[in-house]
Every structure is written in structure tokens, then in C-alpha cells.
Amino acid sequence: MTFGCKCRRTETSSCFLLNPKEGTSSRAANGFHYPERRKGLWFRLRKILLYVLGLYIAIPFLIKVFPGIQAKLIFLNFVRVPYFIDLKKPQDQGLNHTCNYYLHPEEDITIGVWHTVPTVWWKTAQGKDQMWYEDALASSHPIILYLHGNAGTRGGDHRVELYKVLSSLGYHVVSFDYRGWGDSIGTPSERGMTYDALHVFDWIKARSGDNPVYIWGHSLGTGVATNLVRRLCERETPPDALILESPFTNIREEAKSHPFSVIYRYFPGFDWFFLDPITSSGIKFANDENVKHISCSLLILHAEDDPVVPFQLGRKLYNIAAPSQSFRDFKVQFIPFHSDLGYRHKYIYKSPELPRILREFLGNSEPEHQH
């Protein structure tokens, strides 16, 4: 029996071994071309990698040859978020005590403006026209001119939420879209953005009487804000205080620190390819230089977990401003927000401490001999 069993196993094995082509044909028929399949996958993968590598190398040269690309990436004015909102109707965003205006800083330039009155006037403001809103600026409530950052419009969600917070604290809030943003007409530039801000500031001052006017800049808007305030101080008409939320030192350092630059940060000639085109486009936003020529109280707010403008740039700007001679008679304050709070780049408005911070800082923004 033992011998018979062995013969059957051998016979079975022999049958298999005597028909190797049949087994191969069966596997081929089922699509098991392992070497060919691996070769095809590797060819396609290599092709994709070559395309990616070629694009990676080409982008720096494109930016160098066409510096306007870099300018568009800085302004991002073509990114309109949220979409499909009617900027003529701020009430659609929950701002029922807000009026939409259009101002004309220069010929062929039109900028859209929102004016939100203090919340205590919510009922009174219903159905009122632009003239009523303009006259309201002369009331006993202070005014904040808000300068937003890149991308989006004056109707951006986080911006609207900040207007609501400031309005609830008793401030008028005047915000606007720079030329080229939202429904404002014109081509973006640092000079143009600064001139738009100057025009709106002068428009406010012509109607606000002796009411305090504060300037609040966020992100890229901090560059516009320091440009504006430096110019105002040089002509001896400074604002009552300057607030910088998530500021940087200058646009070159911000561009180098931005998360989008990570994949190129160690690329040979990074400064020449990416940063020099920014300068050649006339874009500087030199906060670090401007603060040396500003004479009014300065408050800097920055979240430690800011992924867009690194926290250390805000701290560095404060360290430049605090010892400056121009601030010797004014308050200079830096307020950090711990990373555990999750305020990141644009959610400081959520802080329950913000009303107290503003009340303590703006409650007395007159000159005083301390930092």
C-alpha cells in the first residue's frame, strides 16, 4: 500500500511536470504577465516623475521671466471667497446695520466700502440711507478702519465675524476692498492699495469730528497699514492707534517663510528666482522699516500656531518697534495667543480676551512715557 501511494503521488506529479506549457498558458490566459506588468507600471511611474521634476524645475524660471506671476500670488485678488455673495447687500452676511458705499480715490478707480455702525444702533439704522451713516461717524463712538489681507473680499467670513465683534464693543467699523479686489475697479499694486487706504482715512476724518480713529491691519493688510500710518505721521496727522494682527517684517521674509515656499526653500538661487521678482515688481511692504517712522500707539496681536505668517515674524517686528525712538512717547504692546487656543492665522476674533485687550489698550491711546 505504501508503494502504491507513492506511485500515485509520483504519477500525479509527473503529469504536472510533463505539462509545464499548459500551466503557463493557463496563467497567461488569466492575465498574469508579471514581468510585463511591472515593466509597464514602472515606465508610467517614471514618466510621471519626469513630468513632475520638469515642472518643478520650470516654475522658478517662469517666475523669474514673468515676475507678474509672483505679484498675483502675493495679492491673490482673483480669489473671491465666499463666492456668489452680493457685496452691495451686506445684510445678506448678517450685517443689518451696515451700509455699502463706493468711493473714487483716483480717476477710473472705484472702491467698495462697508460701514458698520455700533450694535447699539442696530434698530435705529434700519432703512437708513448713506447720508445717515456718514453723519453717524460724528457721533461719540470711536472708529476702526479695517485693512484686510490678500484673497477674498470685505465680505469674507472671518472678516465679517470681526466686524460683528468690534461693532458689539461700540466701534464704527469701516472696511473696503482695494482696487482689483471684490467689486472694486483697478489694478492691484502696493502704491495703489496704500493710496486707497489714505483716501478712505481722509474720507473718515472729514466726517468724524474729534472722534478717535484707529487703523487695524491683518496679514498683508498690516503692510498697507504701516505704509499708511507712516505717511500720516510724516504729514503730522497720525491715527489715534495702530493695531497689527498677524503681521510680518517685510514681504521678502514673509514669502521665504510662507508654507507654499517650503518645497523651494533650499532650491539653488531661491532668492534670485523667487524673492528678487517681488522686489522688481515694486512690492516691499516693509513693516520693519515703517515702524521706525511711526508715532502713535501700537498693538500687535499674533497666534503662536499661525501657519501663514510665522509667529516669530510678529515677535521680531515688535522687537524692532519697541526700542524705536519714534515710539518713545507711545505704548507698544505685543499680545501672543497660545497655540492650544487654535486661533491660527485669522481667528483671533474668537478670543474672549479680545474685548478686554482692546478696552485696556485703546481706552488710553494718548501719548504716555512708557512701553
Side-chain angles (χ1 to χ4, degrees), residues 236-291:
E236 299 183 350
T237 58
D240 292 274
L242 171 62
I243 301 167
L244 302 178
E245 178 188 358
S246 306
F248 48 86
T249 47
N250 59 70
I251 200 63
R252 286 179 69 98
E253 287 196 351
E254 161 55 14
K256 195 167 189 175
S257 304
H258 197 280
F260 288 166
S261 72
V262 170
I263 61 172
Y264 284 106
R265 201 165 292 163
Y266 301 104
F267 189 88
F270 176 85
D271 286 16
W272 187 77
F273 279 113
F274 292 96
L275 303 185
D276 290 352
I278 298 175
T279 305
S280 66
S281 297
I283 304 173
K284 298 179 180 179
F285 291 114
N287 289 338
D288 50 356
E289 183 63 28
N290 287 338
V291 293

Side-chain angles (χ1 to χ4, degrees), residues 69-87:
I69 295 175
Q70 191 74 311
K72 288 185 179 295
L73 293 175
I74 289 173
F75 296 139
L76 289 179
N77 59 300
F78 56 89
V79 178
R80 179 167 174 166
V81 180
Y83 297 98
F84 310 120
I85 70 168
D86 187 349
L87 293 170

Side-chain angles (χ1 to χ4, degrees), residues 51-63:
Y51 279 141
V52 171
L53 180 61
L55 183 62
Y56 177 80
I57 295 173
I59 285 175
F61 288 94
L62 285 172
I63 289 176

